[in-house]
C-alpha cells in the first residue's frame, strides 16, 4: 500500500491548525529544489551584483555627506553641520536591527524595496529642505530606512550553504566597504565645484537607479516565502493540496492577526538579544565597529592631516584611493584561503566555523600596525604625505578582513538567523561610526595628530584580542551558547535529511505530470528517522 508523508505537527516550534493535519506542507530542506539555494550559479551571481549595488548605494549616502559639512555651515551660518553624520549613522545602526528580523519573517525583496524607498524619500527631503533642521530630519529618516548589510547578508545565506558561501560573502563585503570610500572620493570634487544641494541630488540619482534595478532584477530568496508561492501555484494549477510554511502557521488569519504582541516584540528584540547575550556577536561586532569608525573618522581627520600639505578638497578625496585599493587587495588575499578550505572539504574534512578566522589572525594585526606607523608619518612637513597613504593601505586591508571574516564566521555559526546575528555587527559598525563624528575633531584639536593616532593604536590593540580568543576557544564558547549550539544541531540534522533526499531521489520535485511532491514507498523509514529529530515527538506521519 502506498504511503504518503504529511506535515509534522510543529513548524519551528509552532503548532499548525488542526484543519491542516494530514496535508502536504512544503519544507525548505525536503523541498530545497524550490529554494534559492538550488538556483544556478549565474542566477545567484546576478542577484549578488544587485546586492553589491544596494550595499554601495547605502554606504555611499552615509559617507558623501561629510563633504557637505563645510558648505552647510557656511550656507546656514552654523558650526554643527557635522551632526548630520550622527543623525544618519546612529539611526542606521538601529535600522539594521529593525529590518533584519522582518526580512526573515516577511521576505527579503519586499523589505529591501521598502528600505530603498524610505532612503530615497529621505534624500529628497534633504535636497529640498530650506532649513538645516529639515536636513537633520531627512538624515534620521534615511538612517532608519537603511536595511544595510544585515538583510543583504541574509540574502547570501539564503542562496549558499555555509561551506560554499565564501566568495559570495567576500563579494558583498567588498562593496559594503567600498561604498563608503567611493562616497568620500566623489565628495571632494562635488564640494569644490558644485553647490551643496548637488551632494543630495547625486545621492538621489544613485539611490533611484539602485531601487529600479533591484525592483526588476532581484528575486525573493527567503525560503519560507518562496515555498508559500510554490504551494499557491500548485493549488492553482491542481497539482495537489499543499501549503507553504507561513501559510500553515497563519492559516485562516487576517494579515493584522498574523503576529500577536509577544511575537512582534520577540521578532524586534532578536538582533539585540543576540548582540548582548552572544559573546561571539558582541566582541566581534565591537571590533568591526571600531574598524569602521576609523574609516569614517578619516573623512574628517584627513582634513587636519593633509591641511599640513595644503591639500584641496579634491586632493583629500583622491588620498582615499589607496584605501579603496586596500579593500581590493584584502578581497583577493582571501582567495587562496578559500581554495585551501575547499580542498580540505573535498577530502572529507569537516571544518569548524573557527577556521574562517584563521587568515584574520594575521590580517587583524595590520590595524594597530597601520595606526602606529601613521602616527609617526602624519605629523606634516618635512615628511612626505605619501607615508600616510602607505599606512592607510594596512588599515584598509585590516578593516575589510575584519568585516568579511567576522560576518562569515557569524553566518556559519548562526545559519538561518544570520541576518539577526550580523545585524549586531551592522549595529556596532554604524553606531560607532556615527559617534566618531562627535569626538574626532575635538580629539585631533586637543591631542594633536600623533597623540590622537597613538590613542587609537592602543584601542585597536585591545579590540583585536578577541579574534585570537575565538579562534582557539570558539568551539567551547559556542557549546556554552544555547542559541548557537541548538542551531548547529538543527543544521546537522537537516543537512542529513537533505543529503539523503539527494542520494535516494535525485529526480524528486520536478513536478512533471502534476505529480505531488513527497517521498513514497521505499526509504520512508529512513526519512522518517531524520524527520522525527526535527519535529514534535507526537505522531506526524499518516499512512494510508
Amino acid at each position: 500500500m502506498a504511503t504518503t508523508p504529511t506535515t509534522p505537527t510543529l513548524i519551528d516550534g509552532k503548532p499548525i491548525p488542526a484543519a491542516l493535519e494530514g496535508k502536504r506542507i512544503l519544507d525548505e530542506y525536503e523541498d530545497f529544489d524550490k529554494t534559492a539555494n538550488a538556483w544556478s550559479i549565474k542566477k545567484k551571481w546576478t542577484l549578488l551584483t544587485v546586492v553589491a549595488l544596494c550595499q554601495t548605494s547605502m554606504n555611499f549616502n552615509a559617507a558623501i555627506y561629510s563633504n557637505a559639512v563645510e558648505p552647510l555651515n557656511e550656507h546656514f551660518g552654523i558650526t554643527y553641520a557635522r551632526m548630520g553624520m550622527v543623525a544618519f549613522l546612529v539611526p542606521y545602526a538601529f535600522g539594521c536591527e529593525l529590518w533584519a528580523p522582518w526580512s526573515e519573517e516577511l521576505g527579503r525583496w519586499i523589505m529591501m524595496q521598502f528600505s530603498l524607498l524610505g532612503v530615497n524619500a529621505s534624500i529628497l527631503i534633504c535636497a529640498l529642505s530650506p532649513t538645516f533642521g529639515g536636513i537633520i530630519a531627512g538624515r534620521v529618516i534615511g538612517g532608519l530606512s537603511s536595511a544595510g548589510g544585515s538583510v543583504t547578508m541574509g540574502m547570501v545565506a539564503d542562496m549558499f550553504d555555509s561551506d560554499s558561501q565564501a566568495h559570495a560573502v567576500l563579494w558583498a563585503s567588498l562593496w559594503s566597504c567600498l561604498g563608503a570610500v567611493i562616497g568620500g572620493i566623489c565628495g571632494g570634487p562635488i564640494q569644490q565645484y558644485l553647490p551643496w544641494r548637488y551632494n543630495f541630488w547625486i545621492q538621489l540619482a544613485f539611490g533611484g537607479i539602485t531601487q529600479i534595478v533591484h525592483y526588476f532584477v532581484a528575486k525573493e530568496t527567503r525560503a519560507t516565502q518562496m515555498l508559500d508561492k510554490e504551494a499557491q501555484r500548485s493549488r492553482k494549477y491542481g497539482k495537489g493540496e499543499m501549503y507553504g510554511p507561513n501559510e500553515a502557521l497563519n492559516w485562516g488569519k487576517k494579515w493584522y492577526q498574523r503576529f500577536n504582541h509577544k511575537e512582534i516584540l520577540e521578532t524586534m528584540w532578536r538582533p539585540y538579544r543576540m548582540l548582548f547575550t552572544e559573546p561571539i556577536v558582541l566582541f566581534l561586532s565591537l571590533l568591526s565597529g571600531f574598524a569602521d569608525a576609523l574609516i569614517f573618522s578619516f573623512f574628517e581627520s584627513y582634513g587636519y592631516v593633509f591641511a599640513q600639505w595644503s591639500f584641496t578638497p579634491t586632493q583629500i578625496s583622491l588620498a582615499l584611493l589607496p584605501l579603496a585599493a586596500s579593500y581590493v587587495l584584502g578581497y583577493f588575499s582571501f582567495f587562496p584561503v578559500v581554495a585551501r578550505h575547499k580542498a580540505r572539504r573535498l577530502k572529507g574534512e569537516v571544518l569548524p566555523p573557527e577556521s574562517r578566522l584563521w587568515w584574520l589572525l594575521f590580517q587583524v594585526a595590520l590595524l594597530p600596525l597601520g595606526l602606529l606607523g601613521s602616527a609617526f608619518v602624519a605629523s606634516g612637513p618635512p615628511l612626505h604625505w605619501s607615508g600616510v597613504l602607505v599606512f592607510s593601505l594596512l588599515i584598509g586591508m585590516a578593516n575589510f578582513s575584519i568585516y568579511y571574516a567576522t560576518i562569515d564566521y557569524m553566518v556559519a555559526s548562526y545559519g538561518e538567523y544570520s541576518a539577526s546575528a550580523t545585524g549586531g555587527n551592522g549595529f556596532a559598525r554604524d553606531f560607532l561610526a556615527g559617534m566618531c563624528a562627535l569626538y574626532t575633531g575635538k580629539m585631533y584639536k586637543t591631542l594633536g595628530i600623533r597623540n590622537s593616532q597613538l590613542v587609537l593604536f592602543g584601542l585597536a590593540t585591545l579590540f583585536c584580542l578577541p579574534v585570537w580568543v575565538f579562534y582557539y576557544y570558539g568551539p567551547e564558547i559556542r557549546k556554552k551558547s544555547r542559541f548557537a549550539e541548538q542551531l548547529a544541531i538543527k543544521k546537522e540534522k537537516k543537512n542529513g535529511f537533505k543529503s539523503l533526499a539527494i542520494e535516494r531521489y535525485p529526480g524528486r520535485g520536478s513536478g512533471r505530470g502534476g505529480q505531488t511532491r513527497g517521498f513514497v514507498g521505499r526509504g520512508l523509514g529512513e526519512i522518517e528517522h531524520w524527520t522525527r529529530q526535527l519535529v514534535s515527538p507526537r505522531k506526524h506521519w499518516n499512512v494510508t
Side-chain angles (χ1 to χ4, degrees):
M1 183 178 294
T3 58
T4 304
T6 57
T7 299
T9 304
L10 300 180
I11 298 178
D12 291 334
K14 300 176 181 179
I16 64 170
L20 293 184
E21 284 286 0
K23 304 296 184 182
R24 177 80 171 92
I25 295 181
L26 303 183
D27 173 81
E28 64 179 293
Y29 286 88
E30 185 180 346
D31 300 278
F32 67 91
D33 55 307
K34 290 300 180 183
T35 67
N37 195 272
W39 286 351
S40 67
I41 294 298
K42 179 181 179 181
K43 188 172 182 179
K44 288 180 180 180
W45 277 89
T46 298
L47 184 57
L48 283 173
T49 303
V50 179
V51 166
L53 185 64
C54 294
Q55 292 276 68
T56 305
S57 174
M58 291 186 181
N59 288 290
F60 179 90
N61 296 340
I64 196 173
Y65 175 87
S66 182
N67 290 99
V69 169
E70 290 306 319
L72 285 171
N73 280 335
E74 181 179 348
H75 179 82
F76 291 108
I78 57 177
T79 59
Y80 47 84
R82 192 162 294 278
M83 288 301 297
M85 295 286 288
V86 182
F88 183 91
L89 287 168
V90 173
Y92 191 177
F94 290 94
C96 287
E97 303 285 53
L98 174 68
W99 295 97
W102 291 111
S103 75
E104 292 167 346
E105 299 292 340
L106 303 177
R108 315 290 191 195
W109 187 90
I110 189 65
M111 289 297 103
M112 281 301 298
Q113 273 296 306
F114 279 132
S115 170
L116 292 168
L117 181 63
V119 169
N120 290 331
S122 73
I123 298 170
L124 186 62
I125 292 172
C126 293
L128 298 176
S129 177
T131 65
F132 183 68
I135 292 175
I136 289 292
R139 295 287 286 176
V140 170
I141 294 170
L144 286 173
S145 299
S146 298
S150 57
V151 175
T152 51
M153 288 301 176
M155 294 163 69
V156 172
D158 293 337
M159 294 186 287
F160 299 88
D161 58 52
S162 60
D163 290 341
S164 63
Q165 72 181 16
H167 283 292
V169 179
L170 269 171
W171 181 250
S173 301
L174 173 65
W175 290 99
S176 179
C177 292
L178 278 177
V181 180
I182 292 172
I185 293 171
C186 296
I190 294 172
Q191 176 184 347
Q192 189 167 347
Y193 300 111
L194 295 173
W196 65 266
R197 292 191 189 274
Y198 277 86
N199 187 288
F200 297 105
W201 290 124
I202 290 172
Q203 290 181 51
L204 184 60
F206 191 4
I209 292 171
T210 299
Q211 183 164 10
I212 291 171
V213 171
H214 179 272
Y215 184 89
F216 288 105
V217 179
K219 306 295 181 184
E220 180 58 64
T221 61
R222 182 64 172 158
T224 52
Q225 298 296 319
M226 295 179 71
L227 294 175
D228 285 346
K229 291 180 180 178
E230 172 62 20
Q232 292 163 11
R233 282 193 294 267
S234 296
R235 295 197 302 271
K236 180 178 179 180
Y237 294 108
K239 293 183 178 180
E241 189 176 1
M242 59 184 69
Y243 296 86
N246 287 330
E247 287 185 308
L249 291 176
N250 302 288
W251 188 81
K253 295 181 181 179
K254 301 292 185 182
W255 69 270
Y256 53 81
Q257 295 175 315
R258 180 169 180 180
F259 298 108
N260 58 36
H261 295 300
K262 182 179 179 181
E263 288 176 324
I264 292 174
L265 291 175
E266 286 178 353
T267 300
M268 298 294 290
W269 176 247
R270 186 190 302 150
Y272 296 100
R273 178 189 172 196
M274 296 185 74
L275 178 61
F276 295 121
T277 63
E278 296 290 321
I280 290 172
V281 178
L282 174 61
F283 288 103
L284 292 184
S285 295
L286 287 175
L287 168 62
S288 187
F290 175 78
D292 196 49
L294 282 177
I295 303 305
F296 277 89
S297 72
F298 280 2
F299 300 143
E300 182 175 359
S301 65
Y302 267 29
Y304 299 106
V305 172
F306 289 104
Q308 300 173 111
W309 290 280
S310 303
F311 272 37
T312 65
T314 299
Q315 290 172 323
I316 293 173
S317 289
L318 293 176
L320 292 169
L321 285 172
L323 195 60
S326 71
Y327 290 153
V328 178
L329 290 174
Y331 171 76
F332 284 111
S333 77
F334 276 93
F335 276 39
V337 181
V338 172
R340 178 171 173 263
H341 286 172
K342 182 179 180 181
R344 292 172 64 184
R345 290 190 186 98
L346 289 175
K347 294 178 181 178
E349 187 175 352
V350 178
L351 301 181
E354 286 70 30
S355 64
R356 299 159 194 268
L357 296 177
W358 176 77
W359 186 227
L360 184 59
L361 294 178
F362 307 96
Q363 295 281 75
V364 75
L366 298 179
L367 187 65
L369 287 177
L371 287 167
L372 182 62
S374 183
F376 291 98
V377 299
S379 54
L383 297 177
H384 196 270
W385 51 263
S386 60
V388 179
L389 305 187
V390 170
F391 284 104
S392 72
L393 282 170
L394 302 183
I395 295 171
M397 288 185 68
N399 184 41
F400 173 80
S401 300
I402 288 167
Y403 181 63
Y404 163 69
T406 56
I407 288 288
D408 194 35
Y409 181 45
M410 289 180 194
V411 171
S413 298
Y414 295 102
E416 61 193 270
Y417 292 109
S418 58
S420 291
T422 56
N425 191 303
F427 178 86
R429 287 176 72 87
D430 297 319
F431 185 84
L432 294 179
M435 290 296 100
C436 80
L438 299 178
Y439 64 77
T440 299
K442 295 178 181 178
M443 181 174 69
Y444 275 80
K445 290 177 182 178
T446 303
L447 300 179
I449 294 172
R450 175 173 296 184
N451 289 338
S452 295
Q453 296 195 332
L454 288 174
V455 168
L456 295 174
F457 159 74
L459 291 173
T461 303
L462 186 64
F463 279 117
C464 289
L465 292 177
V467 174
W468 282 276
V469 174
F470 290 129
Y471 179 76
Y472 290 106
Y473 300 102
E476 289 78 7
I477 294 172
R478 284 189 291 109
K479 284 180 181 179
K480 294 178 181 179
S481 164
R482 264 181 80 189
F483 193 59
E485 188 66 10
Q486 285 175 355
L487 284 174
I489 294 172
K490 184 177 179 182
K491 174 187 171 184
E492 181 181 353
K493 291 176 179 176
K494 284 191 172 182
N495 281 345
F497 185 76
K498 175 179 173 180
S499 299
L500 179 63
I502 297 172
E503 180 181 351
R504 275 197 165 280
Y505 302 95
R508 181 189 63 80
S510 63
R512 290 187 292 270
Q515 181 180 4
T516 301
R517 284 187 186 81
F519 296 99
V520 295
R522 62 190 180 90
L524 181 61
E526 295 175 79
I527 296 168
E528 181 179 8
H529 165 74
W530 283 105
T531 307
R532 286 187 185 278
Q533 309 301 313
L534 301 175
V535 299
S536 167
R538 294 166 56 189
K539 182 177 179 181
H540 52 270
W541 292 91
N542 292 340
V543 181
T544 58

